[in-house]
Amino acid sequence: MMEQKRTITLYGADRFSRGALDNVTLQDGTIILDDVGGQHVLYGCYTSPEFSLAPFCSLNVSWNAHTPAGTVVEAQCRVWAGGKWSAWKSFGKWSPDYPRCSIRSLGAADEDRMVFITGDTVTIAVSGGATALQMRIFLYTDNEEITPSVRLLAASVRPLQWNRQRGKPLNRKTYLPEYDINAHDPSFGSSMDLPLELAALMNRYGKDVLPEEIAYIMADGATASCHNAAYAAAAAGCMGCECYQAWMDLKELRSEVRQGNALAVELDGALVGENNPVWMGLYGFEYDESVNADYMLLNDPFAPRGAVARTMDVEEFERRATGRVLVLHADFQQIECCRPLRRTCTLKPGEEPGTWNFAFHGDPMPLPEGFDGWLAASPRGGPISATTAGRKFIRIERTDDGGIRLPDEMLQPGARYTIFAVDADGILWVAELQLPN
């Protein structure tokens, strides 16, 4: 167990072993379903110890897990408030290919009136807040041959009385790719900011993932958006990264950047004309001692391409920041990942001019009927981008028979494109296309 002020992270055999194992066991530092006679049991649960903390008013839980097709996990928590334990609150079953839906509980039952949950956040409605928490996570499979595996379980709280520390000024900059919301899938509206920043955080470690690959495996069906930060951390976890939510003050943000880490930070949406909070990347600090000017270096995904990098005065940041942060550190080593999942395809000319059909290993592979993912073409031979997500993308259409159609203005002799299709399960289909001269 590790308790650092407001955030608790559990991972590895030593920390997990202090909790209760029910139909689950520890293997290579992860929690998996018990094996009985060579077959896994269908469900089990890990329950953490109870953690005492200074009074807090809200709570966020995160998990990182490998969930092969046919498996899901479900994180829950409860709090000690008003002299008793609350009911367990669920964050919904999660897997990349499962219809994820967060749970909204407003505490209608007597035993629940002390706390309620909306999406990724538990809020304490009792005077004096809560003073302890406990987590548990259920593992499920519909195939006795396979099991999910949980690598990390974390909780972070917002103190009722939070004396935020500023820390010492810092001059430190890290690398963070710049992605703007207008260049990517508009399906999720302004909530695409979080997948954009999460992709930037992963790509700085060489992952080269598309924001759309993340968006479609973290989208919350209950809200039709990508602003569930618990699901964001889970999506990064299934791609092999260590990721969790935390409540941090300025001093802790400086410490992370000093160690070479970039972060996603949540800010007041009014900053960019949005009603809901928005996410930006934090990649550095600048301090001008001569005029005592202290600045944050941010990536603003709502800015136009080429103007994403943004400098903000520390005082304004403190006014705008909610305090909630998405932390992504170096990858776990030698672990199984269920995403990204990619199919390198070929394209065969369709029956109509300007149309093509996908093929995989020579077999036709039409886009499914009702395809509602992301479909785009990226011109080849243009400006070089360090990551695929930084390329120029042009939206294209699905044909009635499951192929693709390019608009007439793209049908230039000899033109070359990379075609991308991300389906509702976050699976990427990619193919190269060169038009005849």
Side-chain angles (χ1 to χ4, degrees):
M1 293 174 294
M2 180 176 70
E3 184 174 335
Q4 291 185 341
K5 296 183 180 178
R6 293 168 292 280
T7 302
I8 299 160
T9 56
L10 304 177
Y11 57 89
D14 180 58
R15 294 173 183 178
F16 279 140
S17 65
R18 303 179 196 184
L21 305 172
D22 182 10
N23 279 350
V24 297
T25 190
L26 295 176
Q27 177 178 289
D28 298 327
T30 66
I31 303 165
I32 64 170
L33 290 168
D34 274 340
D35 185 306
V36 179
Q39 294 184 316
H40 292 287
V41 298
L42 296 180
Y43 64 91
C45 181
Y46 169 81
T47 305
S48 79
E50 300 168 3
F51 297 94
S52 296
L53 298 164
F56 58 91
C57 56
S58 62
L59 163 68
N60 296 91
V61 169
S62 309
W63 60 91
N64 296 165
H66 173 55
T67 51
T71 71
V72 297
V73 296
E74 179 184 5
Q76 300 182 355
C77 72
R78 65 176 184 169
V79 301
W80 179 265
K84 60 181 179 179
W85 284 104
S86 72
W88 287 98
K89 297 297 183 181
S90 171
F91 294 89
K93 293 180 179 178
W94 188 89
S95 184
D97 53 5
Y98 185 81
R100 301 162 304 279
C101 285
S102 63
I103 296 172
R104 180 178 174 87
S105 167
L106 298 181
D110 287 344
E111 67 272 17
D112 286 354
R113 287 178 183 166
M114 57 202 304
V115 299
F116 62 90
I117 182 170
T118 52
D120 59 7
T121 302
V122 171
T123 301
I124 291 82
V126 175
S127 176
T131 56
L133 67 88
Q134 190 174 26
M135 297 174 283
R136 68 184 183 188
I137 189 162
F138 289 91
L139 289 72
Y140 304 95
T141 184
D142 62 10
N143 182 344
E144 295 169 333
E145 302 297 321
I146 58 177
T147 176
S149 58
V150 177
R151 299 189 303 271
L152 179 143
L153 186 60
S156 191
V157 302
R158 189 188 192 286
L160 198 61
Q161 301 294 329
W162 189 0
N163 181 22
R164 301 194 194 193
Q165 302 295 310
R166 274 197 171 189
K168 296 180 180 179
L170 175 69
N171 270 306
R172 180 69 192 274
K173 182 189 298 187
T174 63
Y175 167 70
L176 192 64
E178 300 176 10
Y179 305 139
D180 66 286
I181 205 165
N182 295 319
H184 290 274
D185 191 345
S187 302
F188 302 105
S190 60
S191 75
M192 193 66 184
D193 57 348
L194 187 50
L196 286 166
E197 296 311 321
L198 195 55
L201 292 175
M202 286 194 277
N203 288 347
R204 70 187 296 264
Y205 290 114
K207 286 287 186 182
D208 199 23
V209 300
L210 287 169
E212 290 74 13
E213 291 181 275
I214 301 168
Y216 282 93
I217 64 171
M218 65 166 283
D220 184 348
T223 60
S225 82
C226 292
H227 265 182
N228 187 317
Y231 289 177
C238 80
M239 291 188 175
C241 295
E242 174 190 330
C243 190
Y244 56 91
Q245 302 174 83
W247 289 88
M248 290 187 177
D249 59 21
L250 195 55
K251 181 179 180 180
E252 290 161 313
L253 294 178
R254 293 188 204 271
S255 177
E256 289 285 339
V257 170
R258 186 177 290 109
Q259 296 173 58
N261 299 317
L263 306 152
V265 293
E266 189 183 54
L267 300 167
D268 176 10
L271 184 65
V272 293
E274 292 290 324
N275 293 326
N276 297 316
V278 298
W279 291 86
M280 295 187 184
L282 169 64
Y283 65 94
F285 288 85
E286 284 186 353
Y287 178 62
D288 186 342
E289 186 176 3
S290 64
V291 292
N292 193 30
D294 196 1
Y295 298 104
M296 319 280 290
L297 303 178
L298 301 166
N299 276 356
D300 177 359
F302 295 90
R305 177 175 289 233
V308 170
R310 177 174 189 156
T311 301
M312 183 181 295
D313 181 88
V314 161
E315 291 185 357
E316 181 181 6
F317 178 84
E318 287 187 305
R319 291 194 302 270
R320 300 286 191 177
T322 67
R324 196 154 64 124
V325 176
L326 200 63
V327 180
L328 190 145
H329 289 156
D331 299 359
F332 285 100
Q333 298 299 314
Q334 298 179 341
I335 60 170
E336 289 185 291
C337 301
C338 46
R339 291 295 188 279
L341 183 56
R342 295 164 177 171
R343 294 170 176 160
T344 301
C345 305
T346 56
L347 289 168
K348 298 182 179 181
E351 294 182 1
E352 300 179 21
T355 67
W356 286 264
N357 297 314
F358 283 101
F360 187 58
H361 295 313
D363 297 324
M365 192 177 71
L367 293 167
E369 187 174 353
F371 176 82
D372 59 357
W374 181 64
L375 194 55
S378 180
R380 299 293 302 273
I384 296 175
S385 172
T387 63
T388 303
R391 292 172 63 168
K392 177 182 178 181
F393 296 99
I394 303 168
R395 295 296 300 276
I396 58 177
E397 297 180 354
R398 177 190 181 275
T399 61
D400 291 339
D401 62 355
I404 63 165
R405 175 181 286 106
L406 298 186
D408 291 343
E409 60 269 21
M410 293 179 64
L411 301 177
Q412 302 298 322
R416 298 168 59 217
Y417 301 100
T418 303
I419 307 299
F420 297 95
V422 180
D423 66 21
D425 292 330
I427 300 172
L428 171 65
W429 304 10
V430 61
E432 298 297 328
L433 175 64
Q434 179 165 3
L435 303 184
N437 289 307

